Amino acid sequence: MKKILIVMSAAAGLAFAGCRPQNPDVPAVREFIRDNWHTTVQHCTADTATLIGLPYPYTVPTAGAMFREMYYWDTFFTNEGLVRDGHPELAKGNTDNLLYMVRRFGKVYNGSRTYYEARSQTPYLSMMVDRIYRLTGDKQWLADAYETLKEEYGFWMRERLTPTGLNRYGSSASDALVDEFLVTGGKRLGTDLFDKGYTPERLHKLGLDFVAEAESGWDFNPRYDRRCTDFCPLDLNANLFMYEVNFARFAQELGRTDEIREWIAKAELRRARILQYCYDPEAKQFYDYDYVNGRRSDVLSGAVFALLYSGAVPREYAGDIVQALVRLEFPYGIAACEDKPYDYPYQWSYPNTWPPVCFYAVMGLARYGYGKEAERIAVKWMKAVTESFKTTGNLWEKYNAETGTTDVSNEYEMPAMLGWTAGTFICLDDYLAGEMQPDPLPSEYMSY
């Protein structure tokens, strides 16, 4: 049997920018972030009203009144910044809190509130565990975390699996929660969903789909035509591919050689299914797959770059994904979805650019050797942050990809943000400075 090489650290010599473009406003933003991390730290060990007690101090997305609990996928991007900004203990505490939630509830809730019980969020916990293990080298901690992560992975494979073998978003929402989402979802989209002549059955399905879309974190967007539970999303399956590759890494680190082959086989099968169902050979592009109707979405989104960040596609498909920049790249970053006529003004669409999308676009492009494109996107998005910071004195949840301002499509009052905006800013700044390199592609060591 061919020896399997599972790489646990970034490889030297991969494409990266290596020099910092001259943006004189970057240091002021970095200083602001360093001075304000502490304002996002909370610590509550006991369940209090709707707030779930967590054993370690944790970071919340904002320093203001909104989002004062811990959130799931936000924390990945926050952790990446915390580690690079000298706060590994906070990043580890965040990770341990999320592992605690899995052990207690069988999954990570959308956030640390009891009213998030019906849904999780895009899974990033294995990536957080990977980051902490790279820092500490603590094999006993990794062994415990690995078993917990397998429990979380089991949730996605039991509760969110489709007949294609790919996964979807969903929920266990009660009728009351469905009705609540029909009201709030309608308000956020600027319409009254109860005034459209829908049957009770259609309204109920629409409410379930809204809750599932909240699980995606992209609430709300045009990718799923308001039928989120019918789709196998690119970013969800890219992340689960990354889980399977990470599990192979963890198994090797822990000396569990009998498990390595199993995880690699799962990852390779998921890759094959992504290519089978999500790749349009005529358009030469990847789209979310509507497994209920047997067709792909017609909306190109920034989620396509998650395939590059995770390494979920063979190298020969990367050039096709790079072509998505023609429709998604604007003067200040990557739009969440392409500019098309949509039925509602979605916030996860053009003209909005969000930190997570720019993060995995930059790091994904770099991972496949497209350093020039990665640098260009990083410079553009960071310029939006710095220019807005000069006029507002704050970082924000999202920006306008055309103007670089906070003149965005909102479904609620946009909060000032540290969290994933700070984390992404730090990572892209370090990438441009040549201090952060992408990992090797799993395809270069995965098969045997």
Side-chain angles (χ1 to χ4, degrees), residues 213-384:
E213 204 161 317
E215 182 171 77
S216 79
W218 284 52
D219 48 330
F220 295 109
N221 74 82
R223 293 164 58 185
Y224 313 126
D225 192 28
R226 299 183 309 286
R227 295 182 294 107
C228 183
T229 57
D230 295 353
F231 282 82
C232 302
L234 293 174
D235 38 359
L236 171 60
N237 285 284
N239 278 31
L240 289 173
F241 171 88
M242 210 166 182
Y243 265 58
E244 290 152 354
V245 171
N246 282 344
F247 287 165
R249 291 175 168 180
F250 300 159
Q252 177 166 292
E253 285 295 301
L254 297 169
R256 302 179 187 180
T257 56
D258 56 324
E259 298 178 29
I260 298 174
R261 181 192 295 267
E262 173 189 351
W263 290 118
I264 290 178
K266 288 181 183 295
E268 289 179 330
L269 182 57
R270 186 177 298 276
R271 166 179 282 171
R273 286 168 170 162
I274 290 172
L275 295 175
Q276 176 184 352
Y277 292 106
C278 300
Y279 183 69
D280 185 332
E282 295 184 4
K284 295 186 180 301
Q285 195 51 265
F286 289 85
Y287 296 89
D288 305 304
Y289 183 70
D290 179 352
Y291 76 94
V292 172
N293 294 291
R295 62 188 182 217
R296 300 176 190 91
S297 171
D298 63 355
V299 176
L300 180 65
S301 78
V304 72
F305 296 105
L307 297 173
L308 298 184
Y309 177 68
S310 66
V313 295
R315 188 178 289 277
E316 59 265 29
Y317 289 88
D320 293 343
I321 295 177
V322 172
Q323 290 304 307
L325 293 172
V326 174
R327 292 150 66 185
L328 294 171
E329 181 181 351
F330 294 92
Y332 288 90
I334 300 291
C337 293
E338 62 183 315
D339 182 13
K340 295 176 64 171
Y342 299 119
D343 48 2
Y344 295 106
Y346 299 98
Q347 68 171 358
W348 279 89
S349 187
Y350 174 87
N352 295 354
T353 179
W354 291 75
V357 176
C358 288
F359 178 96
Y360 47 66
V362 171
M363 302 314 299
L365 289 164
R367 194 174 196 190
Y368 279 78
Y370 291 89
K372 181 179 178 181
E373 291 81 359
E375 178 176 338
R376 187 176 70 237
I377 300 305
V379 169
K380 286 183 171 186
W381 183 80
M382 290 176 64
K383 188 177 180 184

Side-chain angles (χ1 to χ4, degrees), residues 119 176-194 206-207 210-211 214 219-220 347 410-412:
R119 64 187 186 270
L177 183 58
V178 167
D179 289 343
E180 178 186 332
F181 262 78
L182 286 170
V183 173
T184 58
K187 287 180 179 178
R188 286 173 60 177
L189 297 179
T191 189
D192 183 352
L193 298 169
F194 293 96
L206 181 59
F210 277 165
V211 183
D219 48 330
F220 295 109
Q347 68 171 358
N410 275 328
E411 295 173 9
Y412 47 75

Side-chain angles (χ1 to χ4, degrees), residues 7 47 279:
V7 181
D47 294 348
Y279 183 69

Side-chain angles (χ1 to χ4, degrees), residues 408-419:
V408 292
S409 177
N410 275 328
E411 295 173 9
Y412 47 75
E413 182 180 355
M414 184 171 68
M417 181 72 59
L418 206 64

